[in-house]
Amino acid sequence: MEVRLKILYTSLCHTDVYFWEAKGQNPVFPRILGHEAAGIVESVGEGVTELAPGDHVLPVFTGECKDCAHCKSEESNMCNLLRINTDRGVMIHDGQSRFSINGKPIYHFVGTSTFSEYTVVHVGCVAKINPLAPLDKVCVLSCGISTGLGATLNVAKPTKGSSVAIFGLGAVGLAAAEGARIAGASRIIGVDLNASRFEQAKKFGVTEFVNPKDYSKPVQEVIAEMTDGGVDRSVECTGHIDAMISAFECVHDGWGVAVLVGVPHKEAVFKTHPMNLLNERTLKGTFFGNYKPRSDLPSVVEKYMNKELELEKFITHTLPFAQINKAFDLMLKGEGLRCIITMED
């Protein structure tokens, strides 16, 4: 049930940096990082029937076995067998790594390890896509962009003409804004502590900006005043607990829906008054934008092919694999959104 992929393009996501720094989780080293990528099937293993050499694919950090209760549910994409496991550095089939150097194993990363010219991935974590789609563009759909886009389109579900607040204007937040733009929201309010992000966010449909540092009162009160009681929908993409609480409390009573995307600190606690829920506000969470990787990602690629979804504006840098450390530097400095790393140069 394994597939060997030739990776042609990979991009750097903040999750790669987070696990490289190894500040908040078990350090599993040596390992090959990378999980946002596109490539071509080079060969398939026993039991693989849906893929063949030459297929164009996106490897995904979470999977879809198609057999478990989650995969059979229309409401979930959290596969029992293949959901993300950041501690597992080996393949499920035999508990062994497919990478080694001088006879010693090098561990896998979230089942993908795309900072490599070739990688081995479980078939359930591989989405077959339109062979005409440019891999150097659609590679960004295998993680962050789909996460933000789906959080809005699949979970928040803003209606045409509605108002949406986006907390955090990094790549995932801007993808959430792109989702609000596609849905036809009339007001898209960007919330970020970094005012330099505001100008760029206009390209993604953001119409107004709020910097919490500019106010002495909580940002949820600021937004409620701007919108006559609160926004219709909010999407939180920072992982900071205060932003999560603000995102929930800034939605309108009676119909407001807040969606949490960011991953909080392991000791974080969400606190809000129960009346905020009793007054008919809804709080939701999402994982990978509620997309099932194999079933749903091909249609997201088609959104790009049909020009409904614009991906070029997310891609701010391109570098050869030999300069991957420069890509890490760009992300650490907060410069740009996505850096595409070309494996063949």
Side-chain angles (χ1 to χ4, degrees):
M1 300 303 287
E2 296 174 5
V3 184
R4 186 160 59 194
L5 307 179
K6 179 178 174 65
I7 299 296
L8 296 180
Y9 301 96
T10 184
S11 64
L12 187 62
C13 169
H14 201 271
T15 304
D16 297 307
V17 176
Y18 180 71
F19 280 86
W20 168 61
E21 292 176 329
K23 290 177 180 175
Q25 68 288 325
N26 295 326
V28 181
F29 293 111
R31 82 193 314 179
I32 295 174
L33 295 169
H35 66 285
E36 193 173 273
I40 295 175
V41 174
E42 187 267 346
S43 55
V44 301
E46 188 180 335
V48 176
T49 57
E50 292 183 25
L51 294 169
D55 285 346
H56 287 213
V57 295
L58 302 178
V60 187
F61 64 89
T62 187
E64 181 185 355
C65 73
K66 298 196 174 184
D67 292 322
C68 72
H70 282 278
C71 286
K72 289 178 177 177
S73 165
E74 290 184 7
E75 297 181 38
S76 176
N77 66 339
M78 300 189 72
C79 175
N80 276 336
L81 179 69
L82 298 169
R83 76 172 67 174
I84 187 171
N85 183 332
T86 57
D87 291 335
R88 186 175 64 230
V90 293
M91 298 300 289
I92 289 174
H93 174 67
D94 60 1
Q96 302 291 315
S97 172
R98 300 292 176 263
F99 301 110
S100 66
I101 186 166
N102 300 328
K104 294 182 179 178
I106 300 174
Y107 295 109
H108 296 246
F109 176 61
V110 295
T112 50
S113 291
T114 63
F115 293 163
S116 170
E117 291 176 276
Y118 290 89
T119 189
V120 177
V121 181
H122 190 285
V123 66
C125 298
V126 181
K128 181 181 175 180
I129 62 166
N130 185 340
L132 299 178
L135 296 178
D136 60 333
K137 306 293 189 297
V138 297
C139 63
V140 299
L141 290 174
S142 62
C143 180
I145 308 310
S146 293
T147 296
L149 186 75
T152 303
L153 293 178
N154 298 337
V155 189
K157 297 179 180 176
T159 55
K160 193 166 185 179
S162 60
S163 58
V164 182
I166 309 290
F167 286 73
L169 297 175
V172 175
L174 292 175
E178 181 80 349
R181 181 189 70 77
I182 291 170
S186 60
R187 295 181 73 182
I188 304 173
I189 301 168
V191 183
D192 202 294
L193 296 170
N194 183 353
S196 67
R197 289 178 160 178
F198 293 169
E199 193 58 38
Q200 185 178 46
K202 291 177 184 175
K203 297 179 196 169
F204 298 83
V206 178
T207 57
E208 299 159 72
F209 303 95
V210 175
N211 187 334
K213 290 192 291 191
D214 294 343
Y215 300 90
S216 56
K217 57 186 165 189
V219 70
Q220 52 266 49
E221 293 180 20
V222 175
I223 292 171
E225 287 175 11
M226 289 170 63
T227 55
D228 194 22
V231 287
D232 302 309
R233 301 288 186 266
S234 72
V235 185
E236 188 285 325
C237 304
T238 72
H240 293 291
I241 195 68
D242 291 341
M244 292 181 169
I245 294 166
S246 297
F248 174 57
E249 294 182 353
C250 81
V251 299
H252 206 289
D253 58 5
W255 62 79
V257 178
V259 179
L260 305 185
V261 179
V263 179
H265 189 274
K266 59 184 177 183
E267 268 119 45
V269 177
F270 188 99
K271 290 183 179 180
T272 191
H273 197 283
M275 283 308 298
N276 288 323
L277 287 154
L278 296 172
N279 285 338
E280 300 182 9
R281 293 177 183 86
T282 300
L283 179 63
K284 290 186 171 188
T286 181
F287 170 68
F288 191 50
N290 276 51
Y291 286 119
K292 292 178 186 283
R294 290 203 277 179
S295 300
D296 297 337
L297 271 192
S299 65
V300 183
V301 170
E302 291 310 310
K303 277 187 190 298
Y304 168 74
M305 297 297 283
N306 296 334
K307 295 186 166 53
E308 293 174 59
L309 170 64
E310 299 168 15
L311 295 179
E312 284 82 359
K313 57 194 179 185
F314 288 99
I315 298 165
T316 51
H317 299 84
T318 302
L319 290 170
F321 187 50
Q323 293 181 34
I324 190 169
N325 286 347
K326 185 176 177 185
F328 273 81
D329 289 340
L330 287 167
M331 183 154 276
L332 289 169
K333 290 174 186 171
E335 294 177 13
L337 294 173
R338 278 295 184 266
C339 178
I340 304 298
I341 297 159
T342 59
M343 303 301 286
E344 292 193 308
D345 289 1

